Amino acid sequence: MHILLVEDDKEITNLLYFYLTRHGWRVTSCETYQEAIKKLDSSISICVLDLMLPDGDGLDLLAEIKKQYPNMASIIISAKTSSLDRVKGFEVGTDDYITKPFLPEELIYRISKLTHLKTSAEVVKIQDYTINQVQRSVYDHNDEKIPLSTKELDTLLYFIKNKGIALSREQIIAKIWENDSFVNDRIIDNQIKNLRKKMPRLAIDTLYGYGYRMNG
């Protein structure tokens, strides 16, 4: 697996590079926004990026990554610890958010979990959409691929497995986010908003004051 590491602190970069490559992963590191843009390519599976870069905003970089490579996974590593900063990151499209300081082993765990492919070979068809759970890909009725983030796809699969069942926001947080204390209702609502925008024929009902239910 190829990882793009964007971090301007050389000590952190060297430490993470050591641990990630020792885990068997290929790592390309860079320190600036512009350098990261130049090194982006389709071989990269996941981008690990800081928010405070010397020549630009990490959120702007993330937005550009999502524009060029919508299916590329991403993890923000940042000293910004407020819930608002985390919400902004998830709204732009990050799959995970780790606050500094953290242990390299935590990042390795998060990367492994994020990129783990589900083993089920079942191809699910629902409301004119086809979901291949092995390839973790989604296609519309014209066989056009729909770019979903890892969390968006996990949420979609969770709804499909519980079709017709009312799911509370707390249940969604527990299943998709493993009860991350920084994840709140706004982040969940934003995930559903993104799913509806990308897959407008999905029948997801809002249960006001409770959560959501997929029908159809």
Side-chain angles (χ1 to χ4, degrees):
M1 181 171 63
H2 188 186
I3 299 171
L4 178 64
L5 175 61
V6 188
E7 168 62 65
D8 64 328
D9 187 315
K10 292 185 178 180
E11 288 189 11
I12 294 177
T13 296
N14 291 338
L15 179 65
L16 295 181
Y17 186 91
F18 172 78
Y19 275 89
L20 295 174
T21 54
R22 192 176 69 170
H23 201 72
W25 295 327
R26 175 188 171 194
V27 178
T28 297
S29 62
C30 49
E31 300 178 6
T32 67
Y33 180 108
Q34 291 300 327
E35 190 180 0
I37 292 296
K38 292 177 181 178
K39 291 186 176 181
L40 274 177
D41 65 57
S42 59
S43 72
I44 297 169
S45 301
I46 182 168
C47 179
V48 177
L49 70 156
D50 190 9
L51 290 182
M52 295 181 286
L53 301 173
D55 62 339
D57 189 334
L59 288 179
D60 292 336
L61 173 59
L62 178 60
E64 183 61 29
I65 290 171
K66 290 298 181 182
K67 180 180 178 181
Q68 294 189 35
Y69 302 98
N71 295 315
M72 186 181 295
S74 60
I75 296 178
I76 289 174
I77 53 174
S78 178
K80 294 184 175 182
T81 60
S82 74
S83 295
L84 180 59
D85 288 319
R86 293 173 66 93
V87 168
K88 288 179 179 178
F90 287 121
E91 286 180 339
V92 174
T94 191
D95 295 295
D96 208 343
Y97 192 116
I98 305 176
T99 56
K100 298 177 181 178
F102 60 88
L103 294 174
E105 290 85 356
E106 179 183 359
L107 178 60
I108 289 172
Y109 170 79
R110 302 271 190 122
I111 291 174
S112 298
K113 186 175 185 302
L114 186 60
T115 57
H116 178 66
L117 296 179
K118 298 184 183 298
T119 57
S120 172
E122 184 179 4
V123 174
V124 179
K125 293 189 177 183
I126 184 169
Q127 298 160 8
D128 292 332
Y129 299 104
T130 301
I131 299 98
N132 187 311
Q133 296 187 79
V134 173
Q135 297 178 358
R136 290 180 63 82
S137 54
V138 181
Y139 300 87
D140 65 13
H141 65 290
N142 292 319
D143 205 30
E144 294 288 335
K145 191 172 184 179
I146 300 172
L148 297 182
S149 72
T150 300
K151 292 298 186 186
E152 289 167 356
L153 180 56
D154 288 343
T155 302
L156 173 63
L157 293 175
Y158 184 48
F159 276 128
I160 290 173
K161 291 177 181 177
N162 294 277
K163 188 169 62 174
I165 299 174
L167 299 173
S168 69
R169 290 178 175 84
E170 290 75 16
Q171 286 176 296
I172 298 171
I173 291 173
K175 178 65 177 180
I176 306 302
W177 301 92
E178 296 187 330
N179 286 318
D180 188 325
S181 61
F182 286 97
V183 177
N184 54 32
D185 289 354
R186 181 178 173 185
I187 290 176
I188 300 303
D189 293 342
N190 188 66
Q191 289 280 352
I192 305 304
K193 178 182 177 182
N194 289 341
L195 275 176
R196 286 170 168 164
K197 182 178 180 180
K198 295 177 180 180
M199 304 175 70
R201 289 184 297 280
L202 276 183
I204 300 178
D205 293 338
T206 299
L207 307 177
Y208 292 99
Y210 185 76
Y212 298 92
R213 179 181 58 230
M214 174 176 279
N215 297 310

